[in-house]
């Protein structure tokens, strides 16, 4: 063993333990029971059996164990954005697409095409850029992967600027923030703007965060380690204290996380943070136009920023195959076109055909763009799923690669249109557009939404 290190030989790793024991001891705490003079018993920790603890010190250990349940933050409200509560609507276990008969698959495709009639199948291109990223885009030190992420971030900022969302008195909430790159570039774009707040929402711990680069005194960064499903923005202290309009942003917000974020913004956070709200939350879902009317009525003499708490939403969509009927915000739209949870189950799986129609496509996707961080590994998610569904040999004799790609795109469009209708019904002007080339990212659709002026009622006579 190395001097000063534990003398216990770990057979599984074929080396000695690298832990440093206490002064005068040969073994570390984990392997101390190997000492001849020690008769104390070590047992697995009940909170996390990956480590052990002395049995006679168990109660003391449980009070400080890193695996103990931490106190919930004030903005944690269990399942506040979860959506569906009626378990009767949740479909049971469905058979894989590869196990469907030819007739069943054809019926699904007929339903898909019938439901898509009347939808705008060709999205507008809004491939923009922003001067804040020009220096980084022109930096020859950036590799191909970094360059592709920069192009996407530049276009997202360009679309935000076009919608007049880059301004003072705003709180930018980045959902699925990961390393916080998107918020970083928004901060760079707002160098001369005062009264700006950033909330970075991420449920997991993240390495190599860029938070340390934010040194401007007139912008504040705060991380919220919470699942979007349980995030109540109304209870975030900074939003309770300051009357800031919120701008929801996200780059490749995966599957159901997009639906949770939309519900978080337009349902659980729909009233001004002025401390004077006495209207109970359940009344919101009944008549959204009435709510918009009350928010923007002439009674608000001081205007209070038109009492619009959410100034805009800009989210780059991703991984439709990870959507969930329970959380999906477009369930009413699906029902209106004669579809339900069973069809949604298959459509969300068939959506991966748009990016992974065959195994060769999977290989290209995995080599064309490396993952920037844990939350943005878009093509990696598609790659994993495609091996179980779209790579099935059963489909080879039924649908061609191009047909599967077309059907996959149609599934994604149908799911996204449900999100658009959801936002429109709640007083937002929402749209989908291509924000970058498919060569840069196979997931190249951006969802944008701003409060709709057309829903402000005219005075009655």
């Amino acid at each position: 063993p190395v001097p000063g290190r534990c003398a216990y030989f770990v057979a599984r790793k074929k080396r000695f333990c690298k832990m440093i024991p206490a002064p005068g001891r040969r073994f570390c705490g984990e392997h101390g029971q190997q000492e001849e003079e020690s008769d104390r018993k070590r047992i697995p920790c009940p909170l996390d059996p990956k480590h052990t603890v002395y049995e006679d010190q168990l109660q003391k250990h449980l009070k400080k164990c890193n695996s103990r349940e931490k106190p919930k933050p004030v903005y944690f409200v269990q399942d506040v954005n979860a959506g569906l509560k009626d378990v009767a609507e949740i479909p049971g276990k469905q058979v894989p697409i590869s196990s469907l008969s030819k007739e069943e698959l054809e019926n699904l495709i007929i339903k898909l095409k019938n439901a898509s009639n009347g939808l705008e199948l060709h999205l507008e291109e809004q491939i923009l850029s922003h001067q804040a990223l020009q220096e980084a885009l022109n930096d020859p030190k950036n590799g191909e992967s970094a360059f592709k992420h920069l192009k996407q971030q530049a276009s997202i900022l360009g679309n935000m600027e076009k919608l007049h969302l880059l301004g003072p008195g705003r709180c930018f909430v980045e959902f699925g923030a990961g390393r916080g790159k998107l918020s970083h570039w928004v901060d760079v774009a707002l160098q001369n703007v005062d009264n700006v707040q950033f909330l970075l929402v991420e449920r997991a711990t993240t390495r190599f965060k860029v938070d340390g680069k934010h040194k401007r005194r007139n912008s504040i960064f705060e991380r919220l380690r919470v699942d979007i499903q349980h995030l109540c923005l109304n209870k975030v202290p900074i939003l309770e204290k300051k009357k800031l309009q919120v701008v929801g942003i996200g780059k490749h917000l995966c599957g159901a996380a997009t639906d949770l974020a939309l519900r978080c913004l337009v349902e659980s956070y729909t009233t001004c943070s002025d401390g004077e709200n006495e209207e109970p939350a359940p009344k919101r879902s009944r008549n959204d136009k009435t709510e918009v009317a009350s928010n923007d009525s002439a009674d608000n003499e001081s205007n209070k920023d038109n009492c619009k708490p959410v100034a805009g939403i800009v989210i780059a969509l991703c991984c439709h195959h990870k959507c969930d009927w329970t959380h999906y915000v477009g369930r009413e739209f699906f029902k209106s076109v004669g579809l339900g949870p069973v069809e949604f189950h298959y459509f969300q799986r068939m959506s991966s055909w748009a990016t992974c129609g065959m195994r060769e496509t999977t290989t290209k996707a995995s080599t064309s763009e490396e993952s920037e961080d844990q939350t943005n590994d878009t093509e990696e998610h598609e790659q994993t799923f495609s091996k179980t569904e779209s790579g099935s040999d059963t489909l080879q004799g039924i649908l061609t690669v191009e047909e599967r790609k077309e059907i996959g795109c149609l599934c994604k469009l149908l799911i996204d249109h449900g999100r658009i209708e959801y936002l429109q019904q709640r007083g937002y002007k929402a749209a989908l557009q291509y924000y970058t080339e498919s060569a840069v990212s196979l997931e190249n659709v951006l969802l944008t939404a701003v409060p709709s002026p057309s829903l402000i009622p005219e005075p009655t006579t």
Side-chain angles (χ1 to χ4, degrees), residues 174-190:
E174 183 179 359
F175 294 94
R179 296 172 62 192
K181 280 289 190 71
L182 184 56
S183 290
H184 166 71
W185 288 116
V186 173
D187 183 46
V188 173
L190 297 173

Side-chain angles (χ1 to χ4, degrees), residues 49-65:
K50 292 181 181 178
H51 66 275
T52 61
V53 60
Y54 284 117
E55 189 174 27
D56 58 0
Q57 290 187 340
L58 177 60
Q59 295 306 317
K60 180 180 178 181
H61 171 79
L62 292 177
K63 295 178 181 179
K64 62 180 181 179
C65 179

Side-chain angles (χ1 to χ4, degrees), residues 6-296:
C6 178
Y8 183 81
F9 184 78
V10 186
R12 181 173 60 85
K13 297 185 177 180
K14 298 180 181 180
R15 62 166 174 79
F16 286 94
C17 174
K18 295 182 179 181
M19 299 297 290
I20 300 175
R25 293 184 178 272
R26 294 182 59 230
F27 300 96
C28 66
E30 284 288 308
H31 305 122
Q33 63 185 18
Q34 302 297 321
E35 295 187 83
E36 297 178 359
E37 67 274 17
S38 176
D39 58 354
R40 299 170 69 190
K41 182 181 178 181
R42 291 187 72 87
I43 60 174
C45 173
L47 299 179
D48 182 5
K50 292 181 181 178
H51 66 275
T52 61
V53 60
Y54 284 117
E55 189 174 27
D56 58 0
Q57 290 187 340
L58 177 60
Q59 295 306 317
K60 180 180 178 181
H61 171 79
L62 292 177
K63 295 178 181 179
K64 62 180 181 179
C65 179
N66 288 332
S67 298
R68 70 189 187 281
E69 185 177 358
K70 308 295 191 303
K72 295 291 190 296
V74 293
Y75 46 78
F76 181 98
V77 178
Q78 185 72 37
D79 295 329
V80 64
N81 304 313
L84 186 62
K85 300 294 192 300
D86 184 6
V87 293
E89 253 195 74
I90 302 174
K93 187 176 181 180
Q94 304 295 325
V95 299
I97 294 176
S98 56
S99 299
L100 294 176
S101 67
K102 183 178 179 180
E103 289 73 23
E104 289 173 325
L105 185 60
E106 287 175 346
N107 285 335
L108 277 174
I109 295 172
I110 291 172
K111 287 184 178 181
L112 173 66
K113 292 183 177 179
N114 288 339
S116 303
N117 284 337
L119 300 185
E120 180 55 58
L121 302 181
H122 302 287
L123 304 183
E124 183 182 354
E125 279 195 357
Q126 291 285 352
I127 303 175
L128 307 177
S129 189
H130 195 280
Q131 59 183 6
L133 289 94
Q134 289 309 306
E135 184 178 347
L137 285 167
N138 296 327
D139 189 349
K141 295 180 181 178
N142 286 320
E144 182 182 1
S145 176
F147 178 72
K148 288 179 176 180
H149 283 291
L150 287 169
K151 285 196 70 175
Q152 294 174 67
Q153 289 153 349
S155 185
I156 292 174
L157 260 67
N159 277 277
M160 291 176 67
E161 186 175 52
K162 184 176 180 181
L163 294 171
H164 308 291
L165 297 178
L166 297 177
R170 299 277 165 83
C171 177
F172 296 89
V173 182
E174 183 179 359
F175 294 94
R179 296 172 62 192
K181 280 289 190 71
L182 184 56
S183 290
H184 166 71
W185 288 116
V186 173
D187 183 46
V188 173
L190 297 173
Q191 285 294 333
N192 300 317
V193 176
D194 295 325
N195 196 20
V196 177
Q197 168 79 31
F198 291 88
L199 295 177
L200 280 63
V201 182
E202 179 58 63
R203 66 181 178 182
T205 55
T206 307
R207 300 176 66 192
F208 310 117
K209 298 185 286 288
V210 297
D211 301 31
K213 296 183 179 181
H214 312 133
K215 298 179 180 179
R216 295 197 303 124
R217 293 183 179 179
N218 53 345
S219 64
I220 304 171
F221 279 75
E222 180 182 349
R223 278 191 173 262
L224 307 181
R225 188 179 171 186
V226 62
D227 193 307
I228 305 170
Q229 181 171 332
H230 313 301
L231 172 60
C232 182
L233 286 177
N234 274 325
K235 296 182 180 294
V236 176
I238 192 69
L239 291 177
E240 282 187 319
K241 181 180 179 181
K242 295 186 177 182
K243 299 175 183 179
L244 299 177
Q245 286 189 305
V246 164
V247 178
I249 60 176
K251 177 176 176 286
H252 289 166
L253 194 55
C254 200
T258 294
D259 299 299
L260 295 173
L262 293 178
R263 193 176 282 109
C264 175
L265 290 166
V266 306
E267 284 193 42
S268 67
Y269 188 72
T270 54
T271 55
C272 289
S273 302
D274 56 7
E276 299 176 2
N277 176 39
E278 297 180 357
E279 184 178 0
K283 292 184 179 179
R284 291 197 304 267
S285 59
R286 187 73 185 259
N287 190 338
D288 296 291
K289 292 186 179 182
T290 304
E291 182 185 5
V292 173
S294 63
N295 281 348
D296 294 284

